[in-house]
């Protein structure tokens, strides 16, 4: 099946009902997306599909045919959000971080505080109490 | 590096001078927000957690667990084709002696042979190369059931009893002008680290075993595997992989899952990966001990504490695990940060036929200080007294003694945190303004001992090593980075104590084949205790290398390894049998002010804001400290309001993140953190412990804010159903 993965064309053979998360981690060796609950509650597996944040543990692989998938690896390491999360304490244990950053990417540039709070409500973090994440997202736009 | 605007960072006692002046004073790192050592890998997805690793020929492992709370196994039937499976049962464990998880007591089997003592108790293990085939395998187990013990208050088995006695409570109580009594209850709490428990066991050609895993205490797992596999020290190797949160949930439990994977690996001859899914992690692993705590307090009419009589009951679950130590910390903190000449605390940890409870951030102190602080609020009510004034009168001051008779030194900051929090939150104005509205405001005053209790650090004999090499300086410790910033903070301490740039110091990955046993990553001890030993290593190294850089020295003389062991400060004394003396070398101090709003229709309590003032000696890295305080506060608010473990027939019935809800962005109040520094002479650069204290205060502050609304809540979690019951009962 063909789709675009992190900006490049990809062709991957995998069962259509396999979770996108497993395809990314096991077939594509992109282990940056994490599994925290397997039921779409924690958001650690968040990736972008055609620009929209989705929990990849609930998406069957068949649904991304011809779509554009972006994972944390697709940000390349120099994205302002990545820099801000690293510098401002947005990442502690780091397990929610890739999904959190992808959800923050989907907020677009310069989101307001309530936008950030609502936009990240589907991503659980147990380490930070979210304040440092707010500071990182706001800091990335500063 | 920007310092977040939200931080009110006050230095009310100047930091002490560095022991070795750096050649370039600007390059000192302690007290500055230097870049996290693990920052970049974590934000790029490059950091490797255990589930990201694969080994050639690796199998997947699965645990078959009991579905009853108490009884005996009568038959086991495999309803699947066992070809291609590795199956391990209790009989496969080398000797009867070996089938116990080595910790405090040899009571918890790795695999139940006959007797079942709790739901989800491991009975047998399966491994297969195909995860789907593995998960489809069905095992039928039949039991002869016994009546389980579910109510801790009715338990016939006491794991541990602790008595703390100061003065003469009974006689003093007779002289009290006012007596206030109350019972307070706290529920289970699930850690909900976002990475579940997981390990990979790799059998070695020499008969040894290597385990890679998500864990806090490599040497706990090492000890457990040696006993289980009957192997000598050097044949067992434990490597900590990047760990996605711990909070105590990866303190003792990883020994169990590591043992299981190792048994499968040994029998199959293949590496075996076991990573729990969320449900299994919630059902089977440890939780915070539920508590029932009774207070009877005598006071003078003007609010001075005369006598405190405290009874602490912890539900330990089916096996001892760490319950005696949790009880110990709980009891020592039970009288709160207050001066009182007559205190009696009696604590018991008892058995129930539920999955064992274990370490969780705070380790008993959040439960007992919850009770103390809600009780203080009720005392203030009974006396018609301002709750701040009541605490102000009774707070420990330098020169006062705690319930164990420990005399407070100048690093006692109870009054300072109280006064700072009250002023910063504008407590009194809001208290008046919110009265009669749907909003409430409440506070809590608390403290937390840094490091192992009593003579714990003496028994641990922690070792730390520092190595000078041509390519830089390596910190060798078993202390695990679990998000709190261990690598960064230890590198800062070593760098400044040695007088070298932070960038040139690298802590190595905790691996028992490489690092000495610096003790477990628990008890708010890593910075103060491990960091303290590390500072001495660096000072010794500096003495040895003179004015050279470590790299220059290593080029000329070869690598230099300096190893130091914990040395008890001579002026710290503790009596283990009497429970008297210096329970901890020092304490952190905290005061939380919570503001809440009650939804009059749903009875949902929404936390709006928590002002958090912590005195922690010295913030080695203010941003990391702030992260610990904010995260712990949010976790404490969750414990107070959201996190309800529903036990049905002795098993967690809501073992999903859908039904056991930890705070999301929308449930978490805004947090205003103030860090105060009053250095301790026992910690590096004056630092005290910080990891646990933030979870001591939020729950009582939130419940006291609910009390301000006129609702007599004494139990947590205060979920809407519980608040409604209280509201309806008081009508």
């Amino acid at each position: 099946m063909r789709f675009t993965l992190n900006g490049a064309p990809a062709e991957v053979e995998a069962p259509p009902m396999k979770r996108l998360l497993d395809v990314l981690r096991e077939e594509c060796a992109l282990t940056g997306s994490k599994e925290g609950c397997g039921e779409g509650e924690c958001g650690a597996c968040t990736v972008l599909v055609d620009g929209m944040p989705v929990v990849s543990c609930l998406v069957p692989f068949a649904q991304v045919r011809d779509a554009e998938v972006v994972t944390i690896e697709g940000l390349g390491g120099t994205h302002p959000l990545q820099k801000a999360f690293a510098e401002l304490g947005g990442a502690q244990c780091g397990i929610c971080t890739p999904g959190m950053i992808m959800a923050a990417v989907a907020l677009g540039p310069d989101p307001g505080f309530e936008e950030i709070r609502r936009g990240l409500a589907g991503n659980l973090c147990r380490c930070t109490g979210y304040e440092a994440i707010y500071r990182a997202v706001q800091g990335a736009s500063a | 590096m920007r310092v977040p605007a939200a931080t009110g960072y006050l230095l009310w006692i100047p930091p002490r001078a560095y022991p070795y002046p750096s050649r370039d004073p600007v390059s000192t790192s302690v007290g500055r927000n230097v870049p996290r050592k693990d920052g970049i890998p974590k934000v790029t997805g490059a950091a490797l957690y255990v589930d990201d690793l694969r080994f050639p020929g690796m199998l997947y492992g699965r645990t078959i667990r009991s579905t009853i709370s108490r009884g005996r196994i009568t038959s086991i039937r495999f309803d699947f084709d066992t070809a291609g499976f590795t199956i391990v049962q209790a009989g496969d464990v080398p000797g009867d002696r070996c089938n116990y998880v080595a910790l405090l007591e040899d009571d918890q089997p790795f695999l139940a042979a006959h007797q079942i003592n709790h739901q989800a108790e491991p009975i047998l293990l399966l491994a297969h190369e195909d995860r789907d085939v593995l998960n489809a395998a069905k095992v039928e187990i039949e039991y002869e059931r016994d009546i389980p013990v579910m109510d801790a208050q009715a338990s016939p088995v006491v794991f541990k009893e602790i008595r703390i006695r100061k003065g003469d409570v009974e006689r003093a109580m007779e002289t009290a002008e006012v007596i206030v009594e109350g019972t307070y209850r706290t529920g289970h709490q699930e850690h909900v680290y976002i990475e579940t428990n997981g390990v990979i066991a790799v059998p070695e050609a020499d008969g040894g075993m290597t385990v890679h895993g998500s864990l806090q205490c490599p040497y706990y797992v090492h000890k457990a595997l040696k006993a289980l596999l009957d192997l000598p020290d050097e044949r067992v190797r434990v490597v900590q992989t990047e760990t996605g949160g711990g909070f105590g949930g990866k303190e003792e439990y990883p020994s169990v899952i590591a043992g299981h994977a190792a048994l499968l690996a040994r029998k199959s001859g293949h590496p075996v990966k076991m990573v729990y899914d969320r449900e299994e992690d919630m059902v089977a692993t440890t939780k915070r001990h539920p508590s029932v705590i009774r207070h009877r307090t005598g006071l003078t009419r003007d609010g001075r504490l005369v006598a405190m009589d405290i009874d602490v009951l912890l539900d330990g679950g089916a096996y001892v695990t760490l319950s005696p130590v949790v009880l110990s910390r709980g009891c020592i903190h039970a009288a709160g940060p207050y001066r009182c000449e007559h205190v009696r605390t009696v604590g018991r940890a008892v058995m129930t036929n539920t999955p064992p409870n274990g370490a969780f951030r705070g380790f008993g102190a959040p439960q007992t200080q919850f009770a103390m602080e809600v009780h203080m609020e009720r005392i203030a009510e009974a006396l018609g007294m301002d709750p701040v004034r009541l605490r102000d009168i009774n707070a420990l001051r330098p020169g006062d003694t705690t319930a164990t008779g420990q005399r407070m030194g100048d690093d006692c900051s109870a009054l300072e945190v109280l006064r700072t929090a009250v002023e910063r939150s504008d407590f009194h104005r809001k208290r008046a303004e919110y009265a009669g509205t749907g909003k409430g405001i409440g506070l809590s005053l608390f403290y937390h001992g840094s490091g192992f209790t009593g003579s714990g650090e003496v028994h641990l004999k922690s070792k730390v090593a520092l190595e000078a090499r041509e390519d830089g300086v390596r910190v060798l410790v078993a202390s695990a980075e679990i998000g709190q910033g261990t690598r960064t903070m230890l590198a800062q301490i070593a760098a400044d104590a040695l007088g070298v740039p932070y960038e040139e110091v690298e802590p190595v990955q905790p691996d028992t084949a490489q690092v000495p046993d610096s003790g477990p990553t628990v008890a708010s001890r890593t910075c103060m205790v491990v960091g303290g030993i590390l500072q001495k290593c660096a000072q010794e190294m500096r003495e040895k290398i003179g004015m050279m850089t470590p790299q220059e020295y290593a080029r000329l003389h070869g690598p230099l390894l300096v190893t130091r062991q914990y040395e008890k400060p001579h002026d710290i004394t503790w009596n283990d049998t009497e429970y008297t003396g210096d329970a901890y070398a020092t304490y952190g101090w905290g005061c939380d002010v919570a503001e809440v709003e009650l939804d009059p229709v749903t009875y949902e309590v929404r936390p709006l804001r928590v002002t958090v003032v912590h005195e922690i000696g010295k913030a080695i890295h203010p941003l990391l400290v702030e992260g610990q305080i904010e995260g712990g506060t949010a976790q404490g608010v969750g414990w107070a309001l959201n996190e309800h473990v529903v036990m049905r027939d002795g098993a967690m019935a809501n073992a999903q993140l859908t039904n056991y809800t930890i705070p999301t962005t929308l449930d978490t109040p805004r947090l205003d953190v103030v860090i105060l520094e009053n250095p301790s002479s026992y910690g590096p650069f004056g630092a005290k412990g910080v990891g646990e204290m933030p979870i001591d205060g939020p729950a009582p502050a939130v419940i006291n804010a609910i009390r301000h609304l006129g609702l007599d809540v004494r139990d947590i979690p205060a979920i809407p159903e519980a608040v409604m019951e209280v509201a309806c009962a008081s009508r």
Side-chain angles (χ1 to χ4, degrees):
Chain A
M1 203 179 81
R2 289 168 202 273
F3 63 110
T4 306
L5 181 57
N6 293 333
E11 188 166 352
V12 174
E13 285 299 316
M17 289 309 287
K18 189 163 178 167
R19 306 184 305 173
L20 175 59
L21 175 63
D22 296 332
V23 174
L24 293 170
R25 290 177 53 84
E26 291 165 11
E27 316 292 332
C28 309
L30 297 175
T31 56
S33 306
K34 306 300 182 189
E35 173 164 353
C37 68
E39 54 172 351
E41 281 293 328
C42 77
C45 63
T46 303
V47 300
L48 302 183
V49 174
D50 292 333
M52 296 292 288
V54 300
V55 278
S56 61
C57 74
L58 293 187
V59 175
F61 181 45
Q63 278 195 359
V64 301
R65 179 186 297 274
D66 299 328
E68 210 170 298
V69 177
V70 181
T71 69
I72 187 71
E73 290 89 349
L75 298 189
T78 54
H79 194 285
L81 277 165
Q82 288 176 305
K83 200 165 169 289
F85 267 71
E87 284 180 2
L88 298 175
Q92 283 192 27
C93 84
I95 197 80
C96 78
T97 308
M100 193 69 79
I101 290 178
M102 296 315 290
V105 168
L107 295 172
D110 209 10
F113 177 75
E114 277 308 315
E115 269 177 278
I116 298 171
R117 203 174 191 179
R118 293 195 174 277
L120 301 182
N123 291 72
L124 296 176
C125 171
R126 193 60 153 169
C127 292
T128 62
Y130 304 106
E131 288 286 343
I133 289 173
Y134 302 148
R135 291 194 286 269
V137 177
Q138 288 173 322
S141 304
Chain B
M1 174 61 60
R2 285 160 293 185
V3 175
T7 308
Y9 188 67
L10 310 182
L11 301 177
W12 54 281
I13 293 185
R16 300 188 306 166
Y18 299 125
Y20 282 96
S22 168
R23 292 174 190 187
D24 169 12
V26 181
S27 75
T28 58
S29 65
V30 167
R32 291 200 299 124
N33 294 329
V34 294
R36 270 188 91 107
K37 292 282 182 192
D38 50 350
I40 299 299
K42 285 178 173 173
V43 299
T44 55
L48 293 175
Y49 299 78
V50 68
D51 201 23
D52 302 335
L53 304 178
R54 277 201 250 187
F55 287 79
M58 190 176 82
L59 310 178
Y60 294 94
R62 182 183 155 202
T63 314
I64 305 297
R65 300 175 178 281
S66 66
T67 51
I68 67 163
S69 296
R70 190 176 176 204
R72 276 166 305 283
I73 300 166
T74 53
S75 72
I76 295 176
R77 196 176 74 236
F78 300 112
D79 282 353
F80 61 96
D81 178 2
T82 55
F85 276 86
T86 302
I87 301 175
V88 169
Q89 291 182 251
D92 292 302
V93 179
D96 281 352
R97 249 175 349 102
C98 299
N99 190 15
Y100 289 104
V101 185
L103 196 61
L104 298 179
E105 298 282 337
D106 285 346
D107 66 337
Q108 182 179 15
F110 277 100
L111 294 170
H114 310 290
Q115 178 67 34
I116 297 297
N117 288 316
H118 66 85
Q119 289 264 15
E121 183 157 12
I123 295 173
L124 57 95
L125 306 166
L126 307 177
H128 195 276
E129 63 184 354
D130 185 315
R131 234 175 356 192
D132 295 332
V133 174
L134 176 70
N135 290 334
K138 282 203 167 59
V139 181
E140 286 297 329
I141 302 174
E142 283 173 18
Y143 307 92
E144 191 180 293
R145 289 167 190 258
D146 289 332
I147 297 169
V149 177
M150 294 299 188
D151 179 5
Q153 295 184 88
S155 174
V157 181
V158 177
F159 288 146
K160 176 79 178 176
E161 181 170 293
I162 285 173
R163 286 172 181 274
I164 296 172
R165 229 181 268 260
K166 179 189 186 189
D168 186 339
V169 166
E170 275 163 27
R171 276 181 61 183
M173 199 68 83
E174 285 169 17
T175 69
E177 293 166 342
V178 181
I179 291 179
V180 181
E181 295 180 78
T183 302
Y184 310 89
R185 291 180 178 81
T186 64
H188 283 100
Q189 186 181 23
E190 168 56 36
H191 305 84
V192 195
Y193 26 67
I194 304 295
E195 181 205 28
T196 54
N197 267 286
V199 298
I200 300 171
V202 183
E204 302 295 348
D206 64 358
M209 187 67 64
T210 299
V211 167
H212 304 258
S214 176
L215 46 94
Q216 293 176 222
C217 312
Y219 276 95
Y220 277 8
V221 179
H222 190 256
K223 176 182 168 183
L225 289 175
K226 277 192 304 175
L228 169 67
L229 305 172
D230 201 13
L231 288 172
D233 274 5
E234 65 281 4
R235 291 275 182 84
V236 174
R237 181 178 165 207
V238 178
V239 184
Q240 185 226 354
T241 52
E242 200 69 67
T243 297
F247 314 111
K250 294 170 185 169
E251 175 170 346
E252 75 278 25
Y253 194 84
S255 296
V256 176
I257 186 172
H260 289 164
L263 287 170
L264 285 167
R266 174 179 267 197
K267 187 156 182 185
S268 66
H270 287 265
V272 173
K273 176 189 273 193
M274 294 187 92
V275 176
Y276 291 163
D277 65 18
R278 180 59 61 182
E279 185 183 358
E280 183 172 20
D281 196 285
M282 289 181 126
V283 167
T285 73
T286 54
K287 297 188 179 25
R288 184 185 298 287
H289 292 71
S291 73
V292 181
I293 297 166
R294 294 194 168 84
H295 276 265
R296 186 159 186 266
T297 307
L299 301 109
T300 59
R301 237 183 289 282
D302 60 358
R304 277 175 295 124
L305 289 167
V306 172
M308 302 169 81
D309 202 358
I310 307 167
D311 183 85
V312 177
L313 179 72
L314 297 183
D315 176 351
Y319 297 112
V320 170
T321 68
L322 294 168
S323 292
V325 202
V326 174
L327 179 70
S328 170
R329 187 177 278 270
C331 286
I332 288 170
H333 288 80
Y338 300 111
R339 48 198 330 205
C340 181
E341 288 314 307
H342 305 279
V343 183
R344 176 171 59 197
T345 302
V346 177
R348 284 169 301 139
V350 301
M351 187 281 293
T352 59
N353 291 110
T354 58
N357 295 311
F360 196 140
R361 190 181 211 162
F363 217 68
Q367 290 96 314
T368 56
Q369 294 198 89
F370 167 77
M372 183 71 241
E373 282 306 283
V374 177
H375 188 61
M376 281 301 266
E377 205 71 10
R378 292 189 52 246
I379 289 172
E381 251 179 30
L383 295 171
M385 196 169 188
D386 170 38
V388 176
R389 170 119 186 91
L390 175 69
R391 288 173 173 88
D392 199 300
I393 291 172
N394 291 293
L396 285 165
R397 286 131 165 99
D400 288 338
T401 57
T402 63
T404 64
Q406 177 168 7
R407 194 163 296 283
M408 294 287 99
D410 289 339
D411 60 346
C412 165
S413 309
L415 278 181
E416 284 77 3
V417 294
L418 175 65
R419 290 171 183 174
T420 306
V422 166
E423 185 183 335
R424 174 122 180 151
S425 64
D426 208 357
F427 181 84
H428 286 112
R429 186 185 63 75
K430 286 180 179 168
R431 183 100 173 158
E433 187 184 305
Y434 292 172
T437 71
K439 284 187 183 174
I441 185 167
L443 88 166
S444 62
L445 182 65
F446 47 98
Y447 69 153
H448 202 95
S450 307
F452 259 39
T453 302
S455 42
E457 294 294 345
V458 176
H459 296 310
L460 270 180
K461 299 188 187 74
S462 297
K463 283 198 188 85
V464 169
L466 189 66
E467 189 182 22
R469 291 154 46 119
E470 288 187 36
D471 59 353
V473 178
R474 302 202 311 165
V475 174
L476 297 132
V477 294
S479 307
E481 169 69 63
I482 54 173
Q484 78 286 48
T486 292
R487 277 176 224 162
T488 306
M489 172 274 294
L490 291 177
Q492 287 177 280
I493 290 172
D496 281 22
L498 191 54
V500 302
Y502 164 75
E503 294 73 22
E504 292 177 11
V505 181
E506 285 299 329
V508 306
Q509 181 178 27
D511 171 347
T512 57
Q514 282 210 64
V515 301
D517 184 358
S518 55
T521 311
V522 305
S524 309
R525 67 184 292 277
T526 302
C527 178
M528 194 181 103
V529 178
V530 178
I533 308 170
L534 178 63
Q535 185 185 32
K536 288 192 175 133
C537 287
Q539 289 163 346
E540 185 180 324
M541 180 175 281
R542 176 49 74 193
E543 277 160 24
K544 286 189 168 147
I545 67 178
M547 290 305 287
M548 274 186 270
T549 68
Q551 292 90 331
E552 284 164 0
Y553 182 92
R555 271 194 288 277
L556 280 173
H557 305 285
L560 172 66
L561 186 73
V562 175
T563 305
R564 297 283 296 240
Q565 189 170 322
Y566 174 77
E567 294 160 36
K568 184 180 87 71
H570 62 90
D571 51 350
I572 301 270
T573 57
W574 174 254
N575 184 327
D576 259 330
T577 44
E578 296 292 315
Y579 253 71
T580 53
D582 303 318
Y584 303 95
T586 188
Y587 296 81
W589 305 86
C591 183
D592 285 357
V593 178
E595 296 165 56
V596 305
E597 187 172 33
L598 178 72
D599 185 317
V601 178
T602 64
Y603 290 96
E604 186 190 1
V605 175
R606 273 193 293 269
L608 302 173
R609 184 180 189 82
V610 183
T611 304
V612 189
V613 178
H614 275 25
E615 191 283 291
I616 50 120
K618 170 72 189 171
I620 302 291
H621 189 297
L623 193 70
L624 293 180
V625 169
E626 193 178 26
Q628 286 299 291
I629 295 173
E630 289 169 344
T633 303
Q635 207 169 33
V637 171
W639 184 44
L641 291 176
N642 309 92
E643 300 183 29
H644 186 207
V645 172
V646 179
M647 294 297 272
R648 202 167 289 151
D649 297 332
M652 184 173 179
N654 55 335
Q656 284 176 292
L657 291 181
T658 314
N659 300 324
Y660 181 85
T661 52
I662 66 166
T664 68
T665 52
L666 299 175
D667 309 308
T668 306
R670 295 311 306 271
L671 306 169
D672 179 28
V673 173
V674 177
I675 301 167
L676 302 179
E677 296 182 318
N678 181 6
S680 160
S681 54
Y682 301 110
F685 303 97
K688 305 173 176 179
V690 69
E692 294 176 292
M693 186 166 66
I695 206 164
D696 289 340
V702 163
I703 296 306
N704 290 342
I706 297 175
R707 175 165 294 278
H708 185 215
L709 291 161
L711 297 171
D712 182 16
V713 176
R714 303 185 197 182
D715 305 340
I716 53 171
I719 55 173
E721 295 91 320
V723 175
M724 186 183 80
E725 257 181 49
V726 169
C728 294
S730 65
R731 269 194 196 135

